[in-house]
Amino acid sequence: MKFKFIPSPKKFENKEKIILRDFLAMERTSLANERTLFSYIRASLYMAIGGVAILEYEGFATFSWLSYAVLGLSFILIFIGIFRFRRLKKKLETYYQSMNINPEKESEKT
């Protein structure tokens, strides 16, 4: 049985000329991608704070292994978030290039 923590990217093709609705949908996707990255960072920071709190609290001295595990998971989580962010950003840029669109110039027009 195979477990996939990070789904594999899918190729998308557009055979028609892009219209404003589609361009705006891609912009929303880009903004959602950034929000998701910030969510990964926030969750990672919360986990790191929790790990440090467990490590520093004297009553949990026997659970120091738990604090190191939580700190390790927080680093893994932030790397997964950055990896997913960069992969979707690259895919959107490839799509923009295939359609001969410059997103900065298009957003200035609207």
Side-chain angles (χ1 to χ4, degrees):
M1 188 191 305
K2 220 175 173 186
F3 294 103
K4 286 191 170 185
F5 293 108
I6 303 173
S8 61
K10 295 179 177 69
K11 304 245 182 202
F12 39 76
E13 291 182 23
N14 189 8
K15 296 183 175 135
E16 301 172 1
K17 187 175 190 291
I18 192 165
I19 58 175
L20 179 62
R21 179 187 67 215
D22 298 332
F23 177 76
L24 293 175
M26 289 190 306
E27 288 297 311
R28 284 191 302 272
T29 303
S30 177
L31 292 172
N33 190 28
E34 291 177 14
R35 278 194 313 268
T36 304
L37 174 65
F38 293 143
S39 296
Y40 273 104
I41 292 171
R42 183 181 59 235
S44 176
L45 287 175
Y46 286 154
M47 288 178 71
I49 290 169
V52 169
I54 292 171
L55 186 62
E56 293 295 320
Y57 187 62
E58 293 161 0
F60 290 137
T62 57
F63 292 111
S64 64
W65 60 271
L66 179 63
S67 65
Y68 293 120
V70 170
L71 286 171
L73 285 174
S74 72
F75 285 119
I76 291 171
L77 188 64
I78 199 162
F79 287 125
I80 290 173
I82 291 170
F83 174 76
R84 292 186 66 183
F85 172 79
R86 291 180 55 97
R87 187 177 66 190
L88 183 61
K89 186 175 180 179
K90 182 179 175 185
K91 192 176 358 178
L92 284 173
E93 286 173 356
T94 303
Y95 187 71
Y96 282 137
Q97 289 173 354
S98 71
M99 295 300 296
N100 295 324
I101 297 172
N102 187 353
E104 286 81 25
K105 287 185 179 179
E106 290 292 327
S107 62
E108 290 173 0
K109 288 181 184 178
T110 57

